[in-house]
Amino acid sequence: MHPFSAGLNRRQFLAAGSIAASGLATKPAAAAPGTFPKGFLWGAATAAHQVEGNNINSDVWVLEHVKPTMYAEPSGDACDHYHRYRDDIRLLAGLGFNTYRFSIEWARIEPEKGLFSNAELEHYRRMLGTCRENNLTPMVTFYHFTMPRWLAAMGGWENAATVDLFARYCERSAKHLGDLIAIASTLNEPNIPALLPWIPQFRSSGGDQAEIFKAAARAVGSDKFASLLFGPTEKSAGNLIAAHHRGLAAMKSGPGKYPVGVNLAMSDDQAAGPDSRRDEKRRTVYGPWLAAAAKSDYIGVQTYTRARVGNELDLPPEPGIDLTDMGYEFWPEALEQTIRYAHEQAKVPVYVTENGIATENDSRRIEYIRRALAGVQNCLRDSIDVRGYVHWSMLDNFEWIFGYRPKFGLIAVNRETQERTVKPSARYLGEIARRNGLS
Ligand code: BGC
């Protein structure tokens, strides 16, 4: 792929090189209290299926439309980010951010097995180019929960053949986009199938789920259908780990030279009571992935709350503690603990690649960010190598089975008109980003 295709001019290409070389690979020098190391990444994140709209070739689109369904509503046009990315990226840059984390969509890039769409790859190339034009460091996730429906019909991550297919998808995408990528991750929260069963409100009622998956298999003309968020972990875990390593190797084969890691869903797990299964939870949910991250360039920490782990599962929220609109405890201090744990275990640089809160009350979001960043500061003070903070999410978007009700965005979206409204929290975090400091 010629670097100047997809509207990327020489200036943008050179900027791409300088962002890629701007200290991402080396430990940033320590900073004075209240400030952050030079080159610290300040971003907001999205994921393709949650914002682009009309991701019709994906497994999740099928699950949204079968009957019965566990989806509160279909994703539909989402935030129409597929067409509006230019304005969204400009808006983010104008607020003071220097990083945009987004995902590329396998179901668009390979809509039929073996048929790769150059037009869709060019779309993502234009997105990368737009980040560069606006001086945003593009952080690219290659897989964020969704896959092509043809692959779900083959058994998705439960089928070992998916490892090769993922490696091929990464190779094709990295070849087309690599010269513009500044930092990449193979898989978003591949440990989520192992984590969800610990959380009482996410434990599925097996019966309904079996019906839904039968209906989905019928819809795609197969006797199978599998989707990451709902799969039994015994069948998918090994394939996901192998896929991470193969994907990483594909990205390393160039073009471009950028750090590659993996993003983990991590809560601050606290042992409740003498027979707490906390350590067992840590061993099974994070253990294999911390080992995989240790062989990668960095670990992406994604934290929303704490969990008190009892002698069976996570306990329900402690009475008297504020809840977010996801029903999680309002616990911004969780981030400091997960950064510490991830760094101590994996011993690689940490990027916070997701942290945020579902709330209609934006002043709670500001308070959440303020306290979460105080935790990041504590980590930096202790010389923990934290290199960036990326908030979830840039936009109010499609929160999977819960639909559009939970509002995680720094920017509100009117779903009729697609009008964007910047929330005070976006200005608050944008100012911190601009100053690279708390006050
Ligand atoms: C996921 C996002 C999701 C967010 C908020 C993370 O688990 O990566 O896709 O929207 O949490 O629940």
Side-chain angles (χ1 to χ4, degrees), residues 365-378:
R365 191 177 338 273
I366 291 177
E367 175 68 1
Y368 186 95
I369 294 172
R370 190 183 67 72
R371 284 163 54 179
L373 291 180
V376 174
Q377 279 276 307
N378 291 342

Side-chain angles (χ1 to χ4, degrees), residues 121-280:
L121 284 165
E122 282 294 296
H123 169 81
Y124 291 115
R125 217 177 144 73
R126 284 190 292 273
M127 280 186 77
L128 288 161
T130 308
C131 288
R132 299 299 190 169
E133 275 166 37
N134 287 280
N135 292 318
L136 289 182
T137 299
M139 191 182 249
V140 178
T141 309
F142 276 58
Y143 176 88
H144 195 124
F145 293 168
T146 44
M147 62 168 46
R149 57 162 82 197
W150 57 262
L151 186 52
M154 288 173 52
W157 291 111
E158 294 166 28
N159 182 343
T162 300
V163 176
D164 279 346
L165 294 168
F166 181 71
R168 181 174 68 170
Y169 154 71
C170 288
E171 199 180 295
R172 294 291 287 256
S173 304
K175 202 162 266 158
H176 206 105
L177 306 172
D179 57 313
L180 293 180
I181 293 175
I183 173 163
S185 97
T186 53
L187 301 166
N188 180 71
E189 300 187 348
N191 64 328
I192 200 101
L195 176 64
L196 291 182
W198 285 84
I199 309 175
Q201 67 258 46
F202 284 108
R203 280 179 86 82
S204 79
S205 54
D208 290 355
Q209 195 157 306
E211 272 302 293
I212 291 166
F213 276 79
K214 263 191 223 147
R218 272 197 305 278
V220 296
S222 172
D223 58 349
K224 301 193 241 333
F225 193 92
S227 190
L228 176 82
L229 289 175
F230 312 97
T233 160
E234 318 78 63
K235 293 194 190 159
S236 59
N239 294 333
L240 283 159
I241 296 217
H244 165 69
H245 291 298
R246 295 278 305 279
L248 183 145
M251 293 172 208
K252 292 288 177 191
S253 66
K257 217 170 176 307
Y258 45 90
V260 182
V262 60
N263 315 96
L264 299 193
M266 304 185 82
S267 42
D268 166 17
D269 293 302
Q270 304 178 356
D275 305 322
S276 167
R277 289 174 73 203
R278 197 273 303 264
D279 293 348
E280 181 190 339

Side-chain angles (χ1 to χ4, degrees), residues 12-26:
Q12 289 153 2
F13 183 67
L14 293 176
S18 71
I19 292 181
S22 68
L24 285 173
T26 48

Side-chain angles (χ1 to χ4, degrees), residues 50 144-145 188-189 302 304 326 354 392 399-400 408:
Q50 295 177 268
H144 195 124
F145 293 168
N188 180 71
E189 300 187 348
Q302 313 205 149
Y304 290 86
M326 291 294 280
E354 283 185 29
W392 183 271
E399 179 55 27
W400 306 111
F408 277 97

